[in-house]
Amino acid sequence: MLHLAQARQIKNITFKNRIIKGAMSEALANREGQPNELHFGLYDAWAKGGLGCAISGNVMVDFRAKNEPGVVVVETERDLAQLTQWANLGKAQGMVQLIQLSHPGRQCPKGLNKETVAPSAVPFSPMLATTFGTPRELTEAEILDIIQRFAESARICEKAGFEGVQLHGAHGYLISQFLSPLTNKRQDQWGGSIENRMRFLLEIYRAVRAKTTENFIVAVKLNSADFQRGGITEDEVVSVFQAIDAEGIDLIEISGGTYEAPAMAGVKADKRKPSSIAREAYFLDFADNIRKQVGCHLMVTGGFRTVQGMNAALDSGACDFIGLARPLAVEVDLTDRLIAGQDVRYAVKPIKTGIPFVDKMAIMEIIWYAAQFKAIAQGKQPNPKLSPLKIFLGYAKSNVKAMLQGRLNSRKQA
């Protein structure tokens, strides 16, 4: 029997196989951030394709802080009925579902929200400064409020019937911003030493645990590295993993990078030794090391393409679950095919528009796949040959409209 096909239990929840869909931006919500029939269609398709577990795309905990148009927001029970319908789709097919809870911090396009906030008022690199503005530094009262927002969103997700949540602590979002000395210049209890910089993550975890039941899964996604000079060190990363493990985290997903150094899309991660590349996954060498440091379940996402590579990773003990993301955007039934011993059909390559400054940002790694999700959600077949340039122009147009609407709303509120 393939390792991929073996069941695994976390608490009293059974994962029918070892394949987990990693979080990817769906961009399917309406202006109010509500889940709808498109989400149901998309996740039902994946469930019927045999997935053991699906982690949702970014779900924001604050409507004032959205990372993109079309993102789901869960801050009250307003959409409990829709969330319950979404959760029940997974249960019907035996697919565990975790909602990824997130706050983008400074990673919000200019004009989308009234303002952006972050641990410190650190601007983006010149290449991205045209898209992302300099944030305002959070007050301590605001930090405490955001912590409780994560907890309240988790409570609502459990009430809706989801098996758990994943805290997004990677890819340069707010938790990751607190962890990195590049974006956290604070001199109070939330900045400075790694013990202070990880306080935000640990307090969110504790607050979520306090508002959910014992068998509710709480996972976290963490960077193995920022892949930026002056970022969080390897020793500091290990200490964060050890600290959250000691608190009782159920599952850690290992990833890496930020918008400014997008290793999660393979842009930086393949500057590796041939022996590492042969193991496929971008972050498997780090997982080998961290496995010796923590006792919780581990998931590695990024780079897996063959059944042999996935089973070898599980057999080595470096991870307990295989995370797949982009391949599932063009192969809805991929899980069933992998368990049958068949490899990924379409090689994942960088999505290029031909516009240099756009291609350097790796934004197409989000929006091209989101276009595939919309097709799947509408009952259509994904299209691996979809034009990146066409998708980018449509995205730019919708972003401009959302920003103009945001400015209009801001004037009305003023």
Side-chain angles (χ1 to χ4, degrees):
M1 184 183 192
L2 293 174
H3 290 292
L4 281 174
Q6 292 176 343
R8 186 84 172 194
Q9 194 154 330
I10 298 182
K11 295 186 172 177
N12 67 347
I13 297 170
T14 299
F15 293 64
K16 65 183 180 183
N17 57 54
R18 303 297 186 88
I19 300 173
I20 298 180
K21 181 200 77 69
M24 292 180 284
S25 173
E26 305 104 354
L28 296 173
N30 61 17
R31 285 183 180 176
E32 301 303 314
Q34 296 175 290
N36 54 56
E37 295 291 336
L38 292 173
H39 293 90
F40 308 154
L42 177 60
Y43 282 85
D44 187 51
W46 278 325
K48 289 175 178 174
L51 264 176
C53 173
I55 301 175
S56 76
N58 264 322
V59 169
M60 298 292 118
V61 300
D62 189 339
F63 189 79
R64 300 167 300 179
K66 295 181 289 183
N67 69 316
E68 63 178 346
V71 71
V72 172
V73 181
V74 175
E75 56 180 1
T76 70
E77 293 188 13
R78 177 194 65 179
D79 303 318
L80 187 61
Q82 296 99 306
L83 290 167
T84 300
Q85 186 174 349
W86 185 352
N88 287 339
L89 289 171
K91 288 179 170 58
Q93 302 294 332
M95 180 180 77
V96 174
Q97 292 193 91
L98 310 181
I99 293 293
Q100 186 186 72
L101 298 180
S102 181
H103 188 297
R106 69 182 192 142
Q107 286 188 170
C108 305
K110 289 180 179 179
L112 182 60
N113 304 308
K114 187 175 181 180
E115 64 174 347
T116 56
V117 293
S120 304
V122 177
F124 275 82
S125 62
M127 184 179 72
L128 295 183
T130 55
T131 303
F132 301 97
T134 300
R136 173 179 64 78
E137 180 172 299
L138 285 161
T139 67
E140 179 155 13
E142 289 172 327
I143 292 172
L144 297 175
D145 174 69
I146 292 170
I147 289 168
Q148 290 306 314
R149 283 177 176 275
F150 272 91
E152 178 64 6
S153 297
R155 182 194 68 78
I156 295 166
C157 289
E158 181 174 27
K159 187 172 181 178
F162 291 101
E163 286 80 8
V165 293
Q166 183 190 63
L167 310 177
H168 197 345
H171 300 176
Y173 288 92
L174 186 60
I175 293 174
S176 180
Q177 290 165 33
F178 268 93
L179 291 172
S180 174
L182 289 173
T183 46
N184 185 349
K185 306 293 186 181
R186 301 179 73 94
Q187 300 299 313
D188 59 8
Q189 65 171 332
W190 306 99
S193 67
I194 186 57
E195 290 75 20
N196 282 352
R197 284 184 275 128
M198 74 170 81
R199 190 185 307 277
F200 184 62
L201 167 61
L202 297 181
E203 290 299 329
I204 288 173
Y205 174 78
R206 293 163 185 159
V208 167
R209 280 290 189 215
K211 278 203 170 185
T212 56
T213 64
E214 184 180 349
N215 285 313
F216 190 66
I217 293 173
V218 183
V220 66
K221 187 171 191 170
L222 291 173
N223 277 357
S224 59
D226 292 339
F227 295 96
Q228 289 178 278
R229 184 176 299 170
I232 190 168
T233 68
E234 185 173 341
D235 286 344
E236 288 177 336
V237 168
V238 170
S239 69
V240 172
F241 275 73
Q242 290 174 326
I244 197 70
D245 179 57
E247 291 282 337
I249 198 77
D250 296 309
L251 171 69
I252 300 177
E253 179 184 0
I254 299 170
S255 191
T258 67
Y259 277 20
E260 292 172 289
M264 61 283 196
V267 175
K268 293 281 185 180
D270 259 344
K271 293 181 178 179
R272 301 173 292 163
K273 296 181 295 184
S275 59
S276 297
I277 293 173
R279 299 184 73 191
E280 295 187 352
Y282 302 144
F283 310 108
L284 200 54
D285 288 346
F286 177 81
D288 273 334
N289 177 43
I290 210 67
R291 174 77 285 169
K292 302 165 190 167
Q293 314 291 334
V294 303
C296 66
H297 294 85
L298 292 179
M299 167 185 172
V300 174
T301 304
F304 286 114
R305 298 295 175 259
T306 68
V307 173
Q308 181 180 358
M310 296 175 203
N311 278 300
L314 294 170
D315 187 47
S316 73
C319 60
D320 305 293
F321 293 96
I322 300 298
L324 293 175
R326 292 175 289 173
L328 284 161
V330 289
E331 298 184 66
V332 178
D333 63 345
L334 179 58
T335 303
D336 281 342
R337 291 184 54 257
L338 290 170
I339 289 175
Q342 302 170 38
D343 293 337
V344 173
R345 203 183 266 128
Y346 298 103
V348 173
K349 300 177 181 178
I351 307 298
K352 301 291 187 181
T353 63
I355 305 172
F357 85 91
V358 173
D359 295 339
K360 286 180 182 178
M361 291 192 293
I363 188 68
M364 295 308 301
E365 303 296 335
I366 297 174
I367 64 176
W368 186 87
Y369 288 97
Q372 305 287 4
F373 300 151
K374 188 171 184 179
I376 296 167
Q378 294 172 334
K380 303 173 185 175
Q381 289 297 313
N383 177 13
K385 296 182 180 179
L386 192 62
S387 166
L389 181 58
K390 180 179 178 180
I391 294 302
F392 173 72
L393 293 175
Y395 173 79
K397 182 179 178 181
S398 66
N399 247 3
V400 168
K401 287 174 66 176
M403 290 176 190
L404 291 175
Q405 184 64 44
R407 288 171 184 169
L408 179 62
N409 292 338
S410 296
R411 290 193 191 104
K412 288 179 179 178
Q413 294 168 6

